[in-house]
Amino acid sequence: MPKYYCDYCDTYLTHDSPSVRKTHNGGRKHKENVRIYYTKWMEDQAQSLIDQTTAHMKMPAPGMGPPPGMMGGPPMMGGMMPVMMARGPPGMPGMNPMMRGGIMGGGPYGPPPMQMGMRIPRPPMGGMMGGPNGPM
């Protein structure tokens, strides 16, 4: 007759019958072993998450350099970049912001980032859907 192995208790039961399993699973020692197993598993999962977060926080974000004003020069007013920094990526000499559509234009780099205090324009009421209740 096959024996039943309990992973939590690391032991074989004498018989593989439902009554023997039920008696074993209801026992004090088995319940304690299950509690210890899952407590250890939760601690391992938490430690793994902590390790991943720590490793992620140590890596610099791609494309991120020092914050404005930390370039070794005088601090900037309002967080603006100097003109020489806004010329574009390397390999595109002489391309200043005006050639890309101006300071507020999009150009090849897409729309400008949202500024503090700027609002997203809302579509007009009735727009393409024919009013607040949808198409008529």
Side-chain angles (χ1 to χ4, degrees):
M1 181 169 217
K3 295 181 178 180
Y4 175 75
Y5 180 73
C6 178
D7 290 318
Y8 302 110
C9 300
D10 191 29
T11 187
Y12 285 97
L13 302 180
T14 55
H15 296 89
D16 186 19
S17 67
S19 62
V20 171
R21 283 191 201 184
K22 188 174 181 180
T23 302
H24 171 78
N25 291 343
R28 177 190 56 83
K29 222 173 158 185
H30 174 79
K31 288 181 179 180
E32 179 68 15
N33 289 339
V34 171
R35 188 187 64 76
I36 290 169
Y37 174 84
Y38 283 107
T39 301
K40 183 181 181 315
W41 182 82
M42 294 273 291
E43 289 170 358
D44 291 345
Q45 293 297 314
Q47 187 62 47
S48 173
L49 184 61
I50 291 168
D51 294 342
Q52 288 175 1
T53 305
T54 303
H56 181 71
M57 296 301 285
K58 287 182 180 179
M59 293 180 3
M64 293 296 293
M70 301 298 271
M71 300 291 222
M76 298 302 217
M77 295 295 288
M80 293 184 62
M81 291 182 6
V83 176
M84 62 184 191
M85 291 296 292
R87 290 191 185 261
M92 299 183 89
M95 188 168 185
N96 63 30
M98 293 305 169
M99 291 174 69
R100 290 190 304 233
I103 298 292
M104 296 306 287
Y109 297 105
M114 292 297 291
Q115 302 278 324
M116 290 290 287
M118 288 181 70
R119 291 187 179 194
I120 300 173
R122 293 183 180 218
M125 291 299 283
M128 297 202 34
M129 299 304 284
N133 297 326
M136 301 240 161

